[in-house]
Amino acid sequence: MSIRTLDDLLAEGVSGRRVLVRADLNVPLDKQTGDITDDGRIRAVLPTLGALVEAGAKVVVCSHLGRPKGTPDPQFSLRPVAGRLGELLGAPVHFAEDTVGDSARSTVAGLTDGQVALLENLRFNAGETSKDEAERGAFADQLAAFGDAYVDDAFGAVHRKHASVYDVPARLPHVAGRLVLREVEVLSTLTSEPERPYVVVLGGSKVSDKLAVIEALLPTVDRLLIGGGMCFTFLKAQGLEVGTSLLEEDMVETCRNLLERSSGKIMLPVDVVVADAFAPDAAHDTVRVDGIPSHRLGLDIGPETVAGFAAALSQAKTIFWNGPMGVFEMAAFAAGTRGIAEAITEADAFSVVGGGDSAAAVRALGLDESSFNHISTGGGASLEYLEGKALPGIAALEN
């Protein structure tokens, strides 16, 4: 890639200059308390922010959170994030009550060297996500006015053609932050010449969400292990009864074709944990995949499947994992995801966790993050990168 980096910007000197940083602070919040339940994405941007603070920049951070509809919505405010970011940086973070309005202008104007401000949620402004280039460009003009230079460190948003990701870089000197650079370096090793055997584990709920990446990966991987809710559509394609499990009827024929074309690369579960209901206290037990009762639903892969998948992973030299193996948020259905995660950490392989729910599972299950070579902050972005798609945010940095 022909992309300038944060180190290039620091070498030019940023002391006293305003640096606009697009971060991905889209953290999960507790619906009752509003507390942050996983600060992984905040911690991921600290190397970039810390370097800019140490170099004396006036740092203006912007991000989205959730999916507000282009107008302010208190439940999606970044105020709690400003507090946590300040704790992690060890200095107060000045919070603007709006994104490009009076509060933002006065907050940015009041910064001194080495201080950090956080603007309110970008998606409180319709221009951020607008498909109308003029509307998006007008919002980008307002954002760009807060910076003398721009740093993109929001890998989780680089697959979006949004104002703060795609249009602002065209208006300011721009570089990739440390997180974005690391993400691209790691993912490029998976798309160029991964050390073999190369084993991919895919989970999550829907085949349709992962179809493009399955199509892209099948020719290049040595084994493709499929669990999670999406496995039931594949099992149905084999003519098996899946009960009331999650099923995409319109994808059954597609899955049948994928299995026929896979040359035996695709591994499916041989046993699953079935329950009477989608509930943490539901009665449940383990059955073979050819014995799923018609009135029950599968919520996790079974122990024999974990063992089989672990055996395949133990032979790998490169591993990519995206998507949980079951409903890991419920203790009764977390064993499959935990077992696969532990098998990946025990393998003598370069391991990449593909963001999203997989990264959340690693933290929720209390697993050692350092046991993986890389945990991506961008589920959708990492998948689109592996699909070979051009990512708007990366293209904007290359220009």
Side-chain angles (χ1 to χ4, degrees):
M1 293 187 310
S2 55
I3 291 179
R4 297 179 71 243
T5 69
L6 179 67
D7 287 337
D8 295 325
L9 181 64
L10 294 172
E12 296 168 0
V14 294
S15 180
R17 298 175 67 194
R18 298 168 307 152
V19 179
L20 181 65
V21 179
R22 176 50 160 106
D24 180 10
L25 306 178
N26 184 28
V27 295
L29 301 175
D30 185 284
K31 290 180 180 178
Q32 274 71 46
T33 66
D35 295 334
I36 296 166
T37 58
D38 180 357
D39 66 359
R41 282 177 171 158
I42 303 175
R43 289 186 283 113
V45 77
L46 292 178
T48 288
L49 297 184
L52 288 167
V53 167
E54 187 176 341
K58 299 174 181 178
V59 185
V60 182
V61 184
C62 61
S63 176
H64 74 283
L65 192 153
R67 296 179 180 271
K69 305 299 184 184
T71 57
D73 186 337
Q75 68 173 319
F76 296 117
S77 174
L78 280 167
R79 182 176 285 281
V81 175
R84 181 59 180 148
L85 181 57
E87 291 172 2
L88 293 169
L89 286 172
V93 169
H94 303 269
F95 183 65
E97 302 284 347
D98 53 31
T99 309
V100 291
D102 292 340
S103 179
R105 286 190 289 270
S106 62
T107 301
V108 172
L111 289 177
T112 59
D113 296 359
Q115 288 189 329
V116 179
L118 176 62
L119 306 179
E120 185 53 286
N121 195 331
L122 290 164
R123 292 186 183 176
F124 285 0
N125 301 76
E128 167 67 0
T129 60
S130 177
K131 289 181 169 50
D132 181 272
E133 293 198 7
E135 183 180 16
R136 211 174 59 237
F139 182 57
D141 288 339
Q142 292 176 292
L143 276 176
F146 293 141
D148 302 306
Y150 169 86
V151 178
D152 189 346
D153 216 28
F155 182 75
V158 294
H159 60 315
R160 306 294 188 193
K161 193 173 182 179
H162 291 170
S164 63
V165 174
Y166 183 76
D167 300 277
V168 171
R171 290 155 168 79
L172 291 171
H174 49 269
V175 302
R178 300 230 159 112
L179 173 63
V180 164
L181 195 64
R182 170 67 177 160
E183 294 269 16
V184 172
E185 286 173 348
V186 167
L187 292 173
S188 67
T189 66
L190 301 182
T191 56
S192 53
E193 292 294 331
E195 191 176 354
R196 296 186 179 280
Y198 176 23
V199 178
V200 171
V201 187
L202 292 180
S205 58
K206 294 182 178 180
V207 178
S208 54
D209 290 343
K210 304 282 172 71
L211 178 61
V213 77
I214 292 172
E215 294 271 13
L217 287 172
L218 261 185
T220 63
V221 303
D222 296 293
R223 299 308 295 268
L224 178 57
L225 318 181
I226 295 180
M230 63 189 285
C231 79
F232 296 102
T233 304
F234 279 93
L235 294 174
K236 185 74 172 180
Q238 292 185 319
L240 297 174
E241 167 69 58
V242 297
T244 58
S245 306
L246 189 64
L247 176 66
E248 290 182 281
E249 286 281 6
D250 60 340
M251 296 297 294
V252 170
E253 186 60 32
T254 299
C255 289
R256 188 176 292 117
N257 290 335
L258 286 169
L259 290 168
E260 290 173 356
R261 289 163 38 207
S262 73
S263 304
K265 290 180 179 180
I266 293 178
M267 282 185 70
L268 295 174
V270 293
D271 61 344
V272 293
V273 180
V274 295
D276 291 341
F278 187 88
D281 58 351
H284 60 277
D285 54 77
T286 302
V287 300
R288 301 282 300 179
V289 293
D290 58 0
I292 299 174
S294 61
H295 64 286
R296 305 187 87 185
L297 73 162
L299 295 179
D300 196 12
I301 59 172
E304 193 175 334
T305 300
V306 171
F309 282 11
L313 290 164
S314 70
Q315 304 298 313
K317 288 299 179 184
T318 304
I319 298 170
F320 175 75
W321 169 35
N322 180 278
M325 297 292 99
V327 188
F328 72 91
E329 298 90 345
M330 301 179 189
F333 313 110
T337 301
R338 179 183 293 279
I340 295 307
E342 290 175 345
I344 292 171
T345 66
E346 292 165 6
D348 181 19
F350 180 77
S351 58
V352 179
V353 179
D357 288 339
S358 314
V362 168
R363 290 188 277 269
L365 296 174
L367 301 171
D368 183 1
E369 294 181 51
S370 65
S371 299
F372 304 90
N373 291 96
H374 182 69
I375 298 180
S376 178
T377 56
S382 62
L383 289 178
E384 290 195 17
Y385 191 97
L386 293 184
E387 289 167 27
K389 285 186 178 179
L391 305 182
I394 300 300
L397 295 175
E398 289 177 321
N399 293 334

